[in-house]
């Protein structure tokens, strides 16, 4: 099981789960095209990767909400890198407020980053994958899709769209040697959680729901991504892999 030598597009690579996973891919000998719009976080990723002498990090600053700009930048980079073997659609925004307070434009802004930018990524990557008869697409979903969590309606809808695209793409791209899966993280203690008013109560809530009685760590995501991106997962497509400590079971 190896992703050595593969070229991986990872959107939102400088985030809480993305940064450690990117370092993991580099250690495994992959080239990672690491896309994020946050310059400071991208610089922290470059710093963190400096000590790793395997793999190759290609940081790319881009705002995914500018779909045309992203398409142009990504096309140029993909050509320079000789094509993308693996696409991980991971970047996401997650505003939180009651449904009544969202405008349609608010919904569309979330879809643009969480879903439409992933469509752009696949449009750019697919011709190379198809030509070489091998490719991996992994869409990052969310446990919130299963329970329909309150105050997150645009986000939950965007994750549902990604699960739908996973199935449609899997059916369509299988003949090209390209598999498409979703990875659905459970509740990971990243920065987003730090704003919770009762951190200890929230941890109790998470552990009560999980079968595995420890909090998840980014390495749990990185290991599952590596597997889905590898040859070993070549007969798995159209699935949603829940990496959530045994919380959701369907
Ligand atoms: N952390 C969790 O517990 C959890 C749970 C379920 C699902 N997820 C999913 O996992 C993925 C990663 O989550 P995370 O916790 O690392 O989140 P995060 O917010 O730490 O990382 C997301 C990254 O995307 C980048 N990004 C946001 N908007 C962008 C834009 N317009 N252009 C370019 N980059 C942009 C951010 O700068 C950030 O670095 C997301 O898809 C999220 O929905 C996370």
């Amino acid at each position: 099981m190896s992703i050595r030598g593969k070229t991986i597009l990872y959107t939102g690579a400088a985030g809480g789960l993305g940064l450690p996973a990117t370092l993991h891919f580099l250690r495994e000998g992959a080239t990672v095209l690491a896309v994020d719009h946050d310059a400071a976080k991208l610089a922290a990723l470059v710093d963190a990767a400096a000590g790793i002498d395997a793999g190759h990090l290609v940081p790319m600053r881009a705002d995914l909400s500018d779909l045309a700009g992203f398409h142009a930048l990504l096309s140029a980079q993909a050509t320079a890198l000789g094509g993308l073997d693996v696409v991980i659609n991971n970047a996401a925004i997650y505003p939180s407020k009651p449904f009544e307070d969202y405008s349609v434009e608010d919904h569309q802004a979330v879809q643009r980053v969480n879903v439409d930018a992933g469509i752009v990524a696949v449009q750019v990557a697919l011709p190379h994958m198809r030509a070489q008869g091998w490719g991996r697409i992994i869409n990052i979903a969310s446990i919130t899709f299963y329970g329909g969590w309150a105050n997150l309606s645009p986000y939950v809808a965007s994750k549902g769209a990604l699960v739908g695209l996973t199935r449609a793409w899997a059916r369509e791209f299988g003949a090209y040697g390209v598999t498409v899966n979703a990875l659905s993280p459970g509740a990971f203690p990243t920065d987003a959680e730090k704003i919770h008013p009762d951190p200890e109560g929230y941890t109790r809530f998470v552990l009560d729901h999980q079968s595995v009685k420890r909090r998840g760590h980014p390495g749990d995501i990185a290991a599952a991504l590596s597997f889905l991106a590898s040859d070993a997962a070549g007969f798995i497509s159209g699935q949603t892999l829940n990496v959530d400590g045994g919380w959701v079971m369907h």
Side-chain angles (χ1 to χ4, degrees):
M1 185 176 105
S2 175
I3 51 168
R4 179 172 302 283
K6 301 290 186 211
T7 300
I8 301 174
L9 166 66
Y10 200 148
T11 67
L17 297 179
L19 188 149
T22 298
L23 301 182
H24 177 91
F25 296 146
L26 293 174
R27 286 190 199 99
E28 289 199 357
T31 293
V32 184
L33 176 55
V35 175
D36 211 288
H37 69 154
D38 187 316
K41 284 166 119 190
L42 211 47
L45 171 60
V46 171
D47 282 352
I52 301 174
D53 49 15
H56 181 42
L57 178 68
V58 183
M60 180 177 128
R61 190 166 173 214
D63 178 0
L64 300 184
S65 65
D66 172 9
L67 297 176
F70 177 50
H71 190 286
L73 278 173
L74 184 61
S75 297
Q77 273 295 359
T79 303
L81 291 168
L84 304 167
D85 304 311
V86 179
V87 168
I88 303 176
N89 287 317
N90 165 78
I93 51 175
Y94 33 83
S96 174
K97 56 188 177 182
F99 173 75
E100 293 96 315
D101 296 343
Y102 287 110
S103 65
V104 170
E105 288 73 24
D106 291 335
H107 269 266
Q108 289 170 334
V110 174
Q111 302 307 305
R112 197 174 311 122
V113 173
N114 296 10
V115 183
D116 299 347
I119 294 173
V120 168
V122 170
Q123 282 176 333
V124 171
L126 191 63
H128 169 78
M129 293 179 175
R130 192 175 171 172
Q132 70 179 2
W134 194 99
R136 297 280 184 270
I137 297 165
I138 305 168
N139 295 319
I140 305 301
S142 167
I143 191 169
T144 59
F145 175 60
Y146 294 100
W149 291 30
N151 296 332
L152 288 172
S153 56
Y155 175 79
V156 174
S158 77
K159 295 305 186 181
L162 285 175
V163 171
L165 282 170
T166 297
R167 294 174 188 178
W169 286 341
R171 183 62 74 183
E172 210 165 318
F173 304 162
Y176 313 152
V178 176
T179 67
V180 189
N181 291 289
L183 186 158
S184 178
F188 284 78
T190 50
D191 282 352
E193 192 176 297
K194 289 186 187 147
I195 57 167
H196 204 280
D198 174 15
E200 283 172 19
Y202 185 68
T203 291
R204 269 196 310 278
F205 163 80
V206 170
L207 294 181
D208 279 351
H209 283 82
Q210 290 179 187
S211 308
V212 178
K213 300 300 177 188
R214 67 156 172 85
R215 295 303 306 272
H217 55 76
D220 296 318
I221 299 292
L225 285 173
S226 272
F227 167 64
L228 288 175
S230 73
D231 284 325
F235 204 53
I236 301 171
S237 198
Q239 305 305 307
T240 300
L241 178 61
N242 300 308
V243 182
D244 62 6
W247 185 327
V248 170
M249 297 197 189
H250 53 82

